[in-house]
Amino acid sequence: MTQTTLSLTAVRRRVRPSRTLPFLVVGLLLAFLLVFFVLPVLWLLLAPSKTAGEVVRDNPLSFGSFHQIGTAWRHLFAFQDGAMSRWLLNSAIYSGGSLILTLAVSVPAGYALALTKFRGRKTLLVITLVTMIMPQATLVLPIFLELNRFHLIGTVWSVILPFSFYPFGVYLVYIYFGSSLPGTCCPPRASTAAPSGSSSHASRCRSPNRWSDWSRSSASWATGTTSSCPISCCRTASSSPSRWA
């Protein structure tokens, strides 16, 4: 009996497929992707250290000299009488202005939609959700017509305002305030003893399925309610019952 068991174990070991081949294939694929994507970037970083002749003549991945790097840097910022400095400043103005305006609009809007009740709230939620899922190409012409109507074409606002249009930011703030503040989703409990249906509700809220959490949040957004209980609120309520007492 023992010999039969040992022979069966030896046969299973021989039949069992080796795990070396999958790891080898994955390693070769990652090595190919590394060479394909990283080598051009490495050549681009080393090219300013060489002159034009050295770029053609020397090894593509060889290093030239630090003196040539300084020369290339001076040539870069001397291009068109310092146009590079102006471009960097414009980029900082456009990105910083768009960020500040987006935060100034998205945070109050999401906070108000999550924690206040007013007439037309559900309509605003649906419009924001529809706008969020619309392709960006469909908004190019309306935004251009609005900017042209207010004579903003050719100004700094023609770049800042389109980048500040970010309905997904309102959605994120809405979900954050609707799930993080106590009392906005989970009802308070009068005592530490849980009601009959609260245990199943809490276990459902603590489910690790992130897709279901996102679906409930989207449903509450579309219906204009905060009945969907996100994970963080239920976890807070269940972990510290005295807080809700």
Side-chain angles (χ1 to χ4, degrees):
M1 184 67 181
T2 305
Q3 293 179 354
T4 305
T5 305
L6 292 176
S7 61
L8 290 176
T9 304
V11 170
R12 289 176 182 174
R13 288 179 180 177
R14 288 196 299 266
V15 175
R16 182 181 299 173
S18 176
R19 297 183 179 180
T20 307
L21 183 60
F23 284 107
L24 182 62
V25 173
V26 172
L28 291 177
L29 180 60
L30 292 178
F32 171 76
L33 294 177
L34 180 67
V35 172
F36 187 81
F37 289 105
V38 175
L39 283 184
V41 178
L42 184 59
W43 176 87
L44 187 63
L45 294 176
L46 294 175
S49 65
K50 295 179 285 188
T51 61
E54 292 175 345
V55 170
V56 179
R57 184 177 60 253
D58 294 349
N59 190 325
L61 298 180
S62 63
F63 182 79
S65 63
F66 289 101
H67 174 73
Q68 184 60 32
I69 293 178
T71 303
W73 184 267
R74 289 191 297 270
H75 289 169
L76 178 64
F77 280 90
F79 177 72
Q80 292 186 357
D81 297 330
M84 181 61 65
S85 301
R86 183 60 186 176
W87 294 343
L88 292 175
L89 179 61
N90 290 342
S91 300
I93 293 175
Y94 296 150
S95 59
S98 301
L99 176 61
I100 293 173
L101 190 57
T102 300
L103 293 177
V105 174
S106 299
V107 174
Y111 182 88
L113 291 174
L115 301 179
T116 60
K117 304 290 184 180
F118 55 90
R119 182 176 299 179
R121 173 177 175 269
K122 182 178 179 180
T123 303
L124 287 177
L125 290 173
V126 173
I127 291 176
T128 307
L129 180 62
V130 172
T131 308
M132 184 178 64
I133 64 178
M134 288 178 61
Q136 294 294 330
T138 60
L139 302 175
V140 173
L141 184 59
I143 292 177
F144 172 79
L145 293 177
E146 292 179 2
L147 294 176
N148 187 47
R149 177 64 180 80
F150 291 98
H151 306 286
L152 297 176
I153 300 298
T155 64
V156 65
W157 297 107
S158 63
V159 180
I160 293 179
L161 291 179
F163 280 108
S164 302
F165 183 74
Y166 192 54
F168 186 65
V170 180
Y171 171 78
L172 292 179
V173 176
Y174 170 84
I175 296 301
Y176 173 77
F177 283 114
S179 61
S180 62
L181 296 183
T184 58
C185 58
C186 293
R189 293 180 290 181
S191 63
T192 57
S196 58
S198 62
S199 59
S200 61
H201 175 70
S203 62
R204 184 174 64 253
C205 290
R206 292 193 298 270
S207 173
N209 191 346
R210 300 295 182 178
W211 173 256
S212 62
D213 299 330
W214 182 87
S215 302
R216 288 195 300 268
S217 300
S218 300
S220 66
W221 173 278
T223 56
T225 62
T226 56
S227 59
S228 63
C229 185
I231 294 177
S232 60
C233 183
C234 286
R235 184 181 296 114
T236 303
S238 61
S239 61
S240 56
S242 61
R243 180 179 179 181
W244 300 91

